[in-house]
Amino acid sequence: FPTARGSSGHRLFISAFMIASKVICDDTYSNKSWGIVAQGMFSLREVNQMEREMCNYLDWELTVDNPILSNFETAVRQDFAQDHRQYPNYPLTPMVSKRAARAAASTAAILAP
């Protein structure tokens, strides 16, 4: 999440958890309550900003298609079937995001001779 303000992993975790909860659950916490869940680390204004930034970064692509999720699950199951010294690095394209795939295609088109 390269455009996140500050370097706190807490911001990313709370943003991701908050958005996932809102997508998955019918009844979820308000943003004011998420500030409490975060043990007062962020004001309501910061929580709102974090949510906007994360949604904008994700291009409001808040759900994952089944084929993308299945491919990702297969890769994770293969990689974690044995103990490894390092965590694998999963490419964004085409495994995770249609937005990332579009960005990669645009970059490839620009770089093509």
Side-chain angles (χ1 to χ4, degrees):
F1 191 41
T3 60
R5 295 174 198 245
S7 59
S8 170
H10 294 93
R11 294 178 67 88
L12 298 177
F13 179 81
I14 290 295
S15 299
F17 196 63
M18 176 174 60
I19 291 168
S21 175
K22 288 181 176 186
V23 169
I24 293 170
C25 301
D26 289 336
D27 187 22
T28 186
Y29 294 123
S30 67
N31 283 8
K32 182 177 180 181
S33 295
W34 280 107
I36 295 167
V37 169
Q39 299 179 346
M41 290 179 68
F42 310 108
S43 67
L44 174 59
R45 184 172 186 211
E46 288 175 301
V47 170
N48 291 337
Q49 179 181 351
M50 290 164 22
E51 181 179 28
R52 268 192 317 274
E53 287 177 357
M54 179 72 84
C55 288
N56 284 329
Y57 177 73
L58 295 172
D59 203 21
W60 291 88
E61 187 180 329
L62 304 178
T63 59
V64 179
D65 295 344
N66 192 33
I68 292 172
L69 185 59
S70 294
N71 291 339
F72 182 72
E73 179 186 6
T74 299
V76 170
R77 285 184 184 275
Q78 288 173 353
D79 291 337
F80 287 91
Q82 304 172 20
D83 287 336
H84 294 283
R85 291 192 181 269
Q86 284 185 294
Y87 290 107
N89 186 10
Y90 299 108
L92 289 177
T93 56
M95 191 176 292
V96 176
S97 168
K98 289 182 270 181
R99 176 183 180 261
R102 287 192 308 268
S106 296
T107 301
I110 291 170
L111 297 176

mmCIF file of all heavy atoms in Angstrom, residues 3-34:
data_model
loop_
_atom_site.group_PDB
_atom_site.id
_atom_site.type_symbol
_atom_site.label_atom_id
_atom_site.label_comp_id
_atom_site.label_asym_id
_atom_site.label_seq_id
_atom_site.Cartn_x
_atom_site.Cartn_y
_atom_site.Cartn_z
ATOM 1 N N THR A 3 0.810 4.294 -1.090
ATOM 2 C CA THR A 3 0.382 5.676 -0.902
ATOM 3 C C THR A 3 -0.143 5.963 0.492
ATOM 4 O O THR A 3 -0.616 7.052 0.755
ATOM 5 C CB THR A 3 -0.710 6.041 -1.924
ATOM 6 O OG1 THR A 3 -1.816 5.166 -1.742
ATOM 7 C CG2 THR A 3 -0.202 5.925 -3.352
ATOM 8 N N ALA A 4 -0.070 4.992 1.392
ATOM 9 C CA ALA A 4 -0.574 5.194 2.750
ATOM 10 C C ALA A 4 0.219 6.279 3.451
ATOM 11 O O ALA A 4 1.433 6.340 3.343
ATOM 12 C CB ALA A 4 -0.490 3.897 3.545
ATOM 13 N N ARG A 5 -0.479 7.138 4.160
ATOM 14 C CA ARG A 5 0.195 8.197 4.914
ATOM 15 C C ARG A 5 0.780 7.600 6.184
ATOM 16 O O ARG A 5 0.132 6.819 6.850
ATOM 17 C CB ARG A 5 -0.793 9.304 5.263
ATOM 18 C CG ARG A 5 -1.303 10.005 4.044
ATOM 19 C CD ARG A 5 -2.394 10.987 4.441
ATOM 20 N NE ARG A 5 -3.155 11.327 3.265
ATOM 21 C CZ ARG A 5 -3.185 12.538 2.743
ATOM 22 N NH1 ARG A 5 -2.517 13.518 3.289
ATOM 23 N NH2 ARG A 5 -3.898 12.769 1.667
ATOM 24 N N GLY A 6 2.000 7.966 6.480
ATOM 25 C CA GLY A 6 2.647 7.422 7.659
ATOM 26 C C GLY A 6 3.129 6.011 7.385
ATOM 27 O O GLY A 6 2.946 5.464 6.313
ATOM 28 N N SER A 7 3.750 5.424 8.355
ATOM 29 C CA SER A 7 4.317 4.093 8.137
ATOM 30 C C SER A 7 3.730 3.058 9.079
ATOM 31 O O SER A 7 4.273 1.977 9.218
ATOM 32 C CB SER A 7 5.833 4.168 8.318
ATOM 33 O OG SER A 7 6.134 4.621 9.621
ATOM 34 N N SER A 8 2.624 3.377 9.689
ATOM 35 C CA SER A 8 2.056 2.492 10.693
ATOM 36 C C SER A 8 1.322 1.315 10.066
ATOM 37 O O SER A 8 0.392 1.494 9.279
ATOM 38 C CB SER A 8 1.090 3.284 11.578
ATOM 39 O OG SER A 8 0.365 2.412 12.406
ATOM 40 N N GLY A 9 1.749 0.116 10.433
ATOM 41 C CA GLY A 9 1.023 -1.075 10.016
ATOM 42 C C GLY A 9 -0.360 -1.126 10.629
ATOM 43 O O GLY A 9 -1.265 -1.766 10.087
ATOM 44 N N HIS A 10 -0.532 -0.432 11.740
ATOM 45 C CA HIS A 10 -1.841 -0.385 12.394
ATOM 46 C C HIS A 10 -2.880 0.244 11.468
ATOM 47 O O HIS A 10 -4.019 -0.197 11.412
ATOM 48 C CB HIS A 10 -1.775 0.411 13.703
ATOM 49 C CG HIS A 10 -0.938 -0.241 14.743
ATOM 50 N ND1 HIS A 10 0.399 0.068 14.887
ATOM 51 C CD2 HIS A 10 -1.233 -1.179 15.672
ATOM 52 C CE1 HIS A 10 0.887 -0.656 15.874
ATOM 53 N NE2 HIS A 10 -0.073 -1.422 16.365
ATOM 54 N N ARG A 11 -2.479 1.288 10.764
ATOM 55 C CA ARG A 11 -3.402 1.965 9.841
ATOM 56 C C ARG A 11 -3.883 1.005 8.763
ATOM 57 O O ARG A 11 -5.067 0.948 8.444
ATOM 58 C CB ARG A 11 -2.734 3.171 9.184
ATOM 59 C CG ARG A 11 -2.390 4.303 10.122
ATOM 60 C CD ARG A 11 -1.682 5.438 9.376
ATOM 61 N NE ARG A 11 -2.551 6.087 8.427
ATOM 62 C CZ ARG A 11 -3.356 7.120 8.697
ATOM 63 N NH1 ARG A 11 -3.372 7.616 9.916
ATOM 64 N NH2 ARG A 11 -4.119 7.644 7.778
ATOM 65 N N LEU A 12 -2.943 0.259 8.199
ATOM 66 C CA LEU A 12 -3.291 -0.678 7.130
ATOM 67 C C LEU A 12 -4.167 -1.807 7.654
ATOM 68 O O LEU A 12 -5.145 -2.197 7.018
ATOM 69 C CB LEU A 12 -2.023 -1.240 6.492
ATOM 70 C CG LEU A 12 -1.128 -0.222 5.814
ATOM 71 C CD1 LEU A 12 0.130 -0.895 5.285
ATOM 72 C CD2 LEU A 12 -1.871 0.491 4.700
ATOM 73 N N PHE A 13 -3.815 -2.339 8.824
ATOM 74 C CA PHE A 13 -4.583 -3.440 9.386
ATOM 75 C C PHE A 13 -6.007 -3.007 9.699
ATOM 76 O O PHE A 13 -6.967 -3.687 9.314
ATOM 77 C CB PHE A 13 -3.913 -4.004 10.640
ATOM 78 C CG PHE A 13 -4.684 -5.126 11.254
ATOM 79 C CD1 PHE A 13 -4.582 -6.408 10.728
ATOM 80 C CD2 PHE A 13 -5.535 -4.901 12.322
ATOM 81 C CE1 PHE A 13 -5.322 -7.452 11.276
ATOM 82 C CE2 PHE A 13 -6.273 -5.941 12.874
ATOM 83 C CZ PHE A 13 -6.165 -7.218 12.345
ATOM 84 N N ILE A 14 -6.161 -1.900 10.399
ATOM 85 C CA ILE A 14 -7.505 -1.425 10.760
ATOM 86 C C ILE A 14 -8.308 -1.110 9.505
ATOM 87 O O ILE A 14 -9.484 -1.474 9.402
ATOM 88 C CB ILE A 14 -7.431 -0.199 11.710
ATOM 89 C CG1 ILE A 14 -6.925 -0.623 13.083
ATOM 90 C CG2 ILE A 14 -8.787 0.502 11.820
ATOM 91 C CD1 ILE A 14 -7.841 -1.564 13.854
ATOM 92 N N SER A 15 -7.691 -0.454 8.520
ATOM 93 C CA SER A 15 -8.399 -0.131 7.276
ATOM 94 C C SER A 15 -8.878 -1.397 6.585
ATOM 95 O O SER A 15 -10.038 -1.499 6.182
ATOM 96 C CB SER A 15 -7.492 0.634 6.317
ATOM 97 O OG SER A 15 -7.075 1.837 6.865
ATOM 98 N N ALA A 16 -7.981 -2.365 6.426
ATOM 99 C CA ALA A 16 -8.334 -3.606 5.740
ATOM 100 C C ALA A 16 -9.403 -4.373 6.523
ATOM 101 O O ALA A 16 -10.374 -4.882 5.938
ATOM 102 C CB ALA A 16 -7.094 -4.466 5.545
ATOM 103 N N PHE A 17 -9.248 -4.453 7.838
ATOM 104 C CA PHE A 17 -10.198 -5.189 8.671
ATOM 105 C C PHE A 17 -11.569 -4.520 8.644
ATOM 106 O O PHE A 17 -12.605 -5.186 8.543
ATOM 107 C CB PHE A 17 -9.657 -5.285 10.099
ATOM 108 C CG PHE A 17 -10.336 -6.316 10.937
ATOM 109 C CD1 PHE A 17 -10.279 -7.660 10.606
ATOM 110 C CD2 PHE A 17 -11.037 -5.943 12.072
ATOM 111 C CE1 PHE A 17 -10.914 -8.620 11.387
ATOM 112 C CE2 PHE A 17 -11.666 -6.892 12.859
ATOM 113 C CZ PHE A 17 -11.612 -8.231 12.512
ATOM 114 N N MET A 18 -11.580 -3.196 8.701
ATOM 115 C CA MET A 18 -12.818 -2.435 8.705
ATOM 116 C C MET A 18 -13.566 -2.627 7.382
ATOM 117 O O MET A 18 -14.772 -2.919 7.377
ATOM 118 C CB MET A 18 -12.502 -0.953 8.926
ATOM 119 C CG MET A 18 -13.683 -0.032 8.870
ATOM 120 S SD MET A 18 -13.280 1.673 9.297
ATOM 121 C CE MET A 18 -12.062 2.084 8.070
ATOM 122 N N ILE A 19 -12.860 -2.514 6.268
ATOM 123 C CA ILE A 19 -13.502 -2.657 4.963
ATOM 124 C C ILE A 19 -13.983 -4.091 4.760
ATOM 125 O O ILE A 19 -15.094 -4.319 4.283
ATOM 126 C CB ILE A 19 -12.554 -2.195 3.845
ATOM 127 C CG1 ILE A 19 -12.361 -0.677 3.942
ATOM 128 C CG2 ILE A 19 -13.092 -2.589 2.471
ATOM 129 C CD1 ILE A 19 -11.237 -0.141 3.084
ATOM 130 N N ALA A 20 -13.154 -5.067 5.132
ATOM 131 C CA ALA A 20 -13.562 -6.472 4.998
ATOM 132 C C ALA A 20 -14.826 -6.744 5.809
ATOM 133 O O ALA A 20 -15.757 -7.409 5.330
ATOM 134 C CB ALA A 20 -12.429 -7.394 5.444
ATOM 135 N N SER A 21 -14.885 -6.215 7.015
ATOM 136 C CA SER A 21 -16.057 -6.402 7.861
ATOM 137 C C SER A 21 -17.295 -5.787 7.220
ATOM 138 O O SER A 21 -18.368 -6.392 7.215
ATOM 139 C CB SER A 21 -15.812 -5.782 9.237
ATOM 140 O OG SER A 21 -16.968 -5.862 10.030
ATOM 141 N N LYS A 22 -17.138 -4.593 6.650
ATOM 142 C CA LYS A 22 -18.274 -3.923 6.018
ATOM 143 C C LYS A 22 -18.748 -4.666 4.775
ATOM 144 O O LYS A 22 -19.943 -4.672 4.478
ATOM 145 C CB LYS A 22 -17.909 -2.482 5.674
ATOM 146 C CG LYS A 22 -17.809 -1.596 6.903
ATOM 147 C CD LYS A 22 -17.467 -0.174 6.527
ATOM 148 C CE LYS A 22 -17.464 0.721 7.751
ATOM 149 N NZ LYS A 22 -17.283 2.138 7.413
ATOM 150 N N VAL A 23 -17.834 -5.289 4.048
ATOM 151 C CA VAL A 23 -18.209 -6.037 2.844
ATOM 152 C C VAL A 23 -18.875 -7.356 3.216
ATOM 153 O O VAL A 23 -19.858 -7.756 2.604
ATOM 154 C CB VAL A 23 -16.973 -6.278 1.942
ATOM 155 C CG1 VAL A 23 -17.276 -7.264 0.838
ATOM 156 C CG2 VAL A 23 -16.484 -4.965 1.350
ATOM 157 N N ILE A 24 -18.366 -8.022 4.251
ATOM 158 C CA ILE A 24 -18.831 -9.367 4.596
ATOM 159 C C ILE A 24 -20.074 -9.353 5.479
ATOM 160 O O ILE A 24 -20.980 -10.167 5.299
ATOM 161 C CB ILE A 24 -17.703 -10.152 5.295
ATOM 162 C CG1 ILE A 24 -16.579 -10.417 4.303
ATOM 163 C CG2 ILE A 24 -18.214 -11.455 5.876
ATOM 164 C CD1 ILE A 24 -15.319 -10.969 4.940
ATOM 165 N N CYS A 25 -20.146 -8.439 6.420
ATOM 166 C CA CYS A 25 -21.208 -8.463 7.435
ATOM 167 C C CYS A 25 -22.335 -7.483 7.114
ATOM 168 O O CYS A 25 -22.086 -6.379 6.631
ATOM 169 C CB CYS A 25 -20.636 -8.110 8.801
ATOM 170 S SG CYS A 25 -19.329 -9.220 9.333
ATOM 171 N N ASP A 26 -23.553 -7.893 7.407
ATOM 172 C CA ASP A 26 -24.705 -7.007 7.229
ATOM 173 C C ASP A 26 -24.731 -5.908 8.284
ATOM 174 O O ASP A 26 -25.125 -4.786 8.018
ATOM 175 C CB ASP A 26 -26.016 -7.796 7.309
ATOM 176 C CG ASP A 26 -26.227 -8.689 6.105
ATOM 177 O OD1 ASP A 26 -25.661 -8.398 5.041
ATOM 178 O OD2 ASP A 26 -26.960 -9.688 6.244
ATOM 179 N N ASP A 27 -24.339 -6.251 9.491
ATOM 180 C CA ASP A 27 -24.379 -5.305 10.601
ATOM 181 C C ASP A 27 -22.976 -5.189 11.165
ATOM 182 O O ASP A 27 -22.442 -6.143 11.731
ATOM 183 C CB ASP A 27 -25.352 -5.815 11.669
ATOM 184 C CG ASP A 27 -25.585 -4.814 12.780
ATOM 185 O OD1 ASP A 27 -25.350 -3.613 12.548
ATOM 186 O OD2 ASP A 27 -25.990 -5.233 13.883
ATOM 187 N N THR A 28 -22.369 -4.040 11.001
ATOM 188 C CA THR A 28 -20.977 -3.869 11.433
ATOM 189 C C THR A 28 -20.829 -2.585 12.232
ATOM 190 O O THR A 28 -21.777 -1.811 12.371
ATOM 191 C CB THR A 28 -20.026 -3.892 10.210
ATOM 192 O OG1 THR A 28 -18.678 -3.862 10.669
ATOM 193 C CG2 THR A 28 -20.277 -2.723 9.283
ATOM 194 N N TYR A 29 -19.639 -2.373 12.747
ATOM 195 C CA TYR A 29 -19.359 -1.181 13.539
ATOM 196 C C TYR A 29 -19.424 0.082 12.687
ATOM 197 O O TYR A 29 -19.135 0.068 11.505
ATOM 198 C CB TYR A 29 -17.947 -1.247 14.133
ATOM 199 C CG TYR A 29 -17.725 -2.331 15.158
ATOM 200 C CD1 TYR A 29 -16.722 -3.265 14.969
ATOM 201 C CD2 TYR A 29 -18.485 -2.402 16.305
ATOM 202 C CE1 TYR A 29 -16.482 -4.259 15.915
ATOM 203 C CE2 TYR A 29 -18.259 -3.385 17.253
ATOM 204 C CZ TYR A 29 -17.262 -4.308 17.044
ATOM 205 O OH TYR A 29 -17.033 -5.281 17.976
ATOM 206 N N SER A 30 -19.757 1.190 13.330
ATOM 207 C CA SER A 30 -19.644 2.495 12.683
ATOM 208 C C SER A 30 -18.170 2.888 12.694
ATOM 209 O O SER A 30 -17.352 2.289 13.412
ATOM 210 C CB SER A 30 -20.448 3.535 13.469
ATOM 211 O OG SER A 30 -19.845 3.733 14.751
ATOM 212 N N ASN A 31 -17.811 3.880 11.904
ATOM 213 C CA ASN A 31 -16.421 4.326 11.896
ATOM 214 C C ASN A 31 -15.994 4.866 13.261
ATOM 215 O O ASN A 31 -14.850 4.712 13.662
ATOM 216 C CB ASN A 31 -16.193 5.357 10.798
ATOM 217 C CG ASN A 31 -16.100 4.704 9.434
ATOM 218 O OD1 ASN A 31 -16.347 3.511 9.276
ATOM 219 N ND2 ASN A 31 -15.741 5.490 8.439
ATOM 220 N N LYS A 32 -16.927 5.465 13.981
ATOM 221 C CA LYS A 32 -16.613 5.934 15.334
ATOM 222 C C LYS A 32 -16.239 4.746 16.225
ATOM 223 O O LYS A 32 -15.278 4.807 16.985
ATOM 224 C CB LYS A 32 -17.801 6.683 15.915
ATOM 225 C CG LYS A 32 -17.550 7.255 17.284
ATOM 226 C CD LYS A 32 -18.751 8.040 17.773
ATOM 227 C CE LYS A 32 -18.485 8.604 19.159
ATOM 228 N NZ LYS A 32 -19.652 9.356 19.665
ATOM 229 N N SER A 33 -16.978 3.651 16.085
ATOM 230 C CA SER A 33 -16.677 2.454 16.867
ATOM 231 C C SER A 33 -15.349 1.835 16.456
ATOM 232 O O SER A 33 -14.650 1.266 17.288
ATOM 233 C CB SER A 33 -17.798 1.423 16.711
ATOM 234 O OG SER A 33 -18.991 1.925 17.269
ATOM 235 N N TRP A 34 -14.991 1.940 15.164
ATOM 236 C CA TRP A 34 -13.693 1.406 14.732
ATOM 237 C C TRP A 34 -12.552 2.153 15.412
ATOM 238 O O TRP A 34 -11.500 1.590 15.683
ATOM 239 C CB TRP A 34 -13.558 1.455 13.209
ATOM 240 C CG TRP A 34 -14.276 0.309 12.570
ATOM 241 C CD1 TRP A 34 -15.450 0.360 11.861
ATOM 242 C CD2 TRP A 34 -13.897 -1.066 12.601
ATOM 243 N NE1 TRP A 34 -15.810 -0.899 11.464
ATOM 244 C CE2 TRP A 34 -14.874 -1.793 11.899
ATOM 245 C CE3 TRP A 34 -12.830 -1.761 13.167
ATOM 246 C CZ2 TRP A 34 -14.816 -3.174 11.747
ATOM 247 C CZ3 TRP A 34 -12.771 -3.133 13.001
ATOM 248 C CH2 TRP A 34 -13.754 -3.827 12.304
#
